[in-house]
Structures are given as structure tokens and as C-alpha cells.
Amino acid sequence: MISLLSFVVALADKALFFYLATRITGNKTSYGTLFAIALIGSICSAIPAVGFLIGLIVVLFLLVYWGKMSWGSAILTVLLAYILAVVITVLLGLALGFALFSFGSAASSTAAGPAAAILLLQ
């Protein structure tokens, strides 16, 4: 139940960042449409190994066709949404006094190193 709730909150956040990015770029796409695009993109991103790339391509296609944007506007919207997500997350972390995510640490890289090597060897 907790993982479903965290998925829905993350999905609403992603749609909010898309909404902010579309407002900054001047595209008038509704929040409901952007939520549906974020949902479909998140489902596609769940595919192992290549999910991020497939999800990104699907989001771009959906922004072009459902959001009625040009390809350049769709690419700019996605880039701006990711930049906004990083900036707002870092600012929230600084304001609250703790890191909401890490840019990389020795502990996480050493823990993930052997696991990544094992996955690559299989």
C-alpha cells in the first residue's frame, strides 16, 4: 500500500513539473493530460534495462500528439521539467536541512559497484 501511495505521489510530482515546464515554455496543456502522459511514461519506464529510454520516447511522442506541441517544444519541456525537478529538490533539501537525494557518495557507489558488475556479467 505504501509503495502504491509513493508511486501516485511521484506521478503527481512528475505531472506538476511537466505542468510548470509547459507554462514556462508557453504551451497550454492541461494538468489532466500531463498526468496521463506521466502515468504512461512511468509505466513504460518500469521495463527493466531499457525502460528509461522507452519511457522518454513515449513521453515525447505523447507530448507531441496529445499536448499538441512541436518536437522542439516537447524536448524543451522534458529537459526543463527534469531541470526544475533537480533544482526544486535541492532547494527543498537545503531548506529542510537534509538531502532528499544524493549526487553520489562513496557508500552508494561502492555498494552498487559489485551488484552492477554482477548484472553486467550475466
Side-chain angles (χ1 to χ4, degrees):
M1 186 65 182
I2 296 292
S3 62
L4 178 63
L5 180 63
S6 64
F7 176 75
V8 171
V9 169
L11 192 59
D13 286 347
K14 186 182 285 190
L16 178 66
F17 289 128
F18 279 146
Y19 184 78
L20 291 174
T22 56
R23 292 304 179 241
I24 291 171
T25 58
N27 297 312
K28 302 296 182 198
T29 306
S30 69
Y31 183 80
T33 302
L34 293 171
F35 188 85
I37 290 171
L39 174 66
I40 294 169
S42 295
I43 291 171
C44 291
S45 293
I47 299 170
V50 295
F52 177 76
L53 183 61
I54 292 172
L56 183 63
I57 293 169
V58 166
V59 165
L60 287 173
F61 272 106
L62 292 176
L63 283 174
V64 168
Y65 293 110
W66 285 357
K68 296 177 180 56
M69 298 180 194
S70 67
W71 283 100
S73 293
I75 291 170
L76 181 65
T77 299
V78 169
L79 286 175
L80 190 57
Y82 281 115
I83 290 169
L84 284 171
V86 169
V87 168
I88 290 174
T89 303
V90 168
L91 290 177
L92 270 174
L94 290 173
L96 297 175
F98 58 89
L100 295 175
F101 68 90
S102 174
F103 285 113
S105 68
S108 65
S109 63
T110 55
I118 291 170
L119 288 175
L120 288 174
L121 293 175
Q122 288 182 352

